[in-house]
């Protein structure tokens, strides 16, 4: 029987690796389709709330590469199948593959599988978390995240590398990893996607932020009814696609460069180091690098967390 999953995080099991399919099914972990100038990339592990294992990470990279290489594609929409966009990094579905080697694409750090301790975790997360997010942020075509249900922890990272975010009214956002004694997810864009005091409250409480609140603080561009999410995202993508391809690429680069001049790039590096200091501290003082916060513990902690920011 498959484990239950907290929409604020994943759970912990191991599985045989298949680079194109989920360990629990034969469905592709990512679907790719093109309609005119718009490519839609869909995470396809709905039974696990689209928790991101390495197979999904590299399948997403394949899809974004295909969109980048296709001259007919001008805009990319990133979506999640089922009721949730993504409940975060896979820390325990039957398709979890953290111990499986993959050909590295985002950096030149060595393979993590035969390493131990901080070296192992730093090498892997430099590639599949921080490295991949930076790689995707630089895709020279506009990306629109189409978000419903849970957008939690690692799910935030995927939405934040997109240029625009359209959220359904039932969407919620959370980064609960401070419960693990960790300062935030690996792609620490919090103070750039929301005001710093809002980011602190978001992290300090671990509470869910509603789509309306996310729109109010500027993290989300548009909020629509759940049954309008796909069509509205497609309409926005079509509108953006009317612009010249080179103009879109340069406008995207201009804004990204401005963010980097405001400290985003160096900030990501500095907080990534703090993230791994937290893992190392947990490994010395707690049950494991996650501070003993397995899925059951995360669910229990979440149950007593209080309310949602409306």
């Amino acid at each position: 029987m498959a484990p239950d999953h907290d929409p604020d995080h994943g759970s912990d099991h191991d599985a045989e690796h298949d680079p194109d399919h989920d360990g629990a099914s034969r469905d592709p972990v990512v679907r790719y389709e093109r309609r005119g100038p718009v490519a839609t990339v869909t995470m396809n592990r709905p039974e696990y709330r689209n928790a991101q294992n390495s197979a999904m990470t590299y399948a997403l990279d394949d899809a974004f590469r295909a969109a980048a290489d296709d001259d007919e594609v001008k805009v990319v929409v990133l979506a999640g199948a089922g009721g949730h966009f993504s409940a975060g990094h896979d820390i325990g579905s039957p398709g979890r593959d953290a111990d499986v080697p993959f050909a590295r694409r985002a950096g030149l750090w060595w393979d993590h599988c035969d390493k131990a301790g901080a070296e192992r975790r730093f090498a892997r997360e430099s590639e599949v978390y921080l490295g991949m997010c930076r790689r995707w942020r630089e895709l020279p075509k506009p990306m629109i995240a189409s978000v419903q249900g849970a957008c939690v922890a690692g799910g935030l990272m995927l939405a934040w590398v997109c240029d625009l975010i359209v959220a359904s009214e039932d969407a919620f956002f959370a980064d609960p990893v401070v419960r693990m004694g960790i300062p935030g997810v690996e792609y620490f864009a919090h103070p750039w996607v929301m005001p710093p005091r809002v980011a602190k409250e978001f992290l300090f409480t671990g509470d869910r932020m509603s789509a309306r609140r996310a729109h109010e603080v500027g993290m989300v561009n548009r909020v629509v009814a759940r049954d309008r999410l796909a069509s509205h995202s497609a309409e926005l993508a079509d509108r953006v696609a009317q612009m010249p391809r080179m103009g879109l690429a340069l406008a995207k680069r201009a804004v990204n460069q401005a963010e980097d001049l405001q400290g985003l790039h160096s900030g990501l590096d500095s907080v990534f180091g703090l993230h791994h200091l937290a893992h190392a501290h947990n490994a010395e003082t707690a049950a494991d690098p996650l501070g003993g916060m397995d899925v059951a513990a995360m669910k229990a902690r979440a149950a007593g967390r209080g309310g949602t920011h409306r």
Side-chain angles (χ1 to χ4, degrees):
M1 180 175 172
D4 188 21
H5 290 266
D6 179 4
D8 284 344
H9 230 286
S11 62
D12 197 29
H13 291 272
D14 288 318
E16 189 173 321
H17 165 56
D18 183 327
D20 300 313
H21 297 82
D22 188 278
S25 74
R26 305 315 301 167
D27 292 331
V29 292
V30 170
R31 300 198 307 262
Y32 179 92
E33 59 183 333
R34 181 169 70 81
R35 179 186 54 81
V38 177
T40 300
V41 177
T42 304
M43 294 176 282
N44 190 36
R45 302 184 77 209
E47 66 272 40
Y48 304 115
R49 297 180 174 90
N50 294 316
Q52 304 157 37
N53 57 6
S54 293
M56 177 182 280
T57 298
Y58 285 94
L60 284 170
D61 193 65
D62 289 338
F64 294 143
R65 169 58 71 184
D69 288 344
D70 187 346
D71 283 344
E72 299 301 315
V73 171
K74 296 177 71 176
V75 181
V76 179
V77 174
L78 175 62
H84 300 277
F85 179 73
S86 176
H89 295 138
D90 187 348
I91 61 169
S93 83
R96 185 170 186 260
D97 51 13
D99 296 328
V100 176
F102 287 79
R104 292 170 301 286
R105 302 179 190 175
L108 294 174
W109 275 90
W110 44 79
D111 180 67
H112 67 284
C113 291
D114 60 346
K115 309 302 186 296
E119 181 181 16
R120 176 188 183 88
R121 186 174 294 272
F122 192 90
R124 179 172 185 267
E125 295 191 358
S126 293
E127 165 74 7
V128 298
Y129 295 162
L130 180 60
M132 282 295 192
C133 284
R134 280 181 162 162
R135 176 177 168 89
W136 299 336
R137 177 177 177 257
E138 297 305 316
L139 179 73
K141 298 178 181 182
M143 296 173 63
I144 299 172
S146 184
V147 178
Q148 81 283 11
C151 182
V152 174
L156 293 171
M157 294 165 54
L158 294 183
W160 287 348
V161 299
C162 293
D163 305 291
L164 305 176
I165 301 175
V166 179
S168 64
E169 292 171 336
D170 69 338
F172 63 89
F173 304 84
D175 188 357
V177 302
V178 175
R179 296 175 194 152
M180 299 175 172
I182 296 170
V185 291
E186 294 83 356
Y187 185 84
F188 192 88
H190 307 61
W192 287 269
V193 299
M194 63 183 89
R197 284 191 176 84
V198 176
K200 288 177 181 178
E201 182 180 7
F202 187 68
L203 289 163
F204 293 171
T205 66
D207 287 348
R208 297 177 178 182
M209 179 184 287
S210 70
R212 291 292 178 190
R213 176 62 172 158
H215 182 264
E216 181 181 282
V217 302
M219 188 173 80
V220 164
N221 295 88
R222 301 183 182 187
V223 179
V224 299
R226 178 67 181 86
D227 61 2
R228 285 274 296 138
L229 178 63
S231 61
H232 191 93
S233 299
E235 290 164 9
L236 179 58
D238 287 339
R239 182 175 178 187
V240 173
Q242 295 173 19
M243 294 294 187
R245 180 177 61 201
M246 187 62 169
L248 290 170
L250 294 178
K252 174 170 180 169
R253 174 158 289 196
V255 176
N256 282 2
Q257 287 177 340
E259 284 188 308
D260 289 340
L261 288 169
Q262 292 166 356
L264 174 59
H265 193 279
S266 57
L268 291 172
D269 282 336
S270 65
V271 181
F272 191 65
L274 296 177
H275 181 99
H276 284 274
L277 171 62
H279 279 310
H281 178 73
N282 283 342
E284 288 192 26
T285 63
D288 54 49
L290 300 182
M293 285 285 108
D294 60 13
V295 169
M298 289 290 284
K299 291 174 74 172
R301 184 72 63 87
R305 69 176 167 238
T308 297
H309 292 304
R310 299 293 178 187

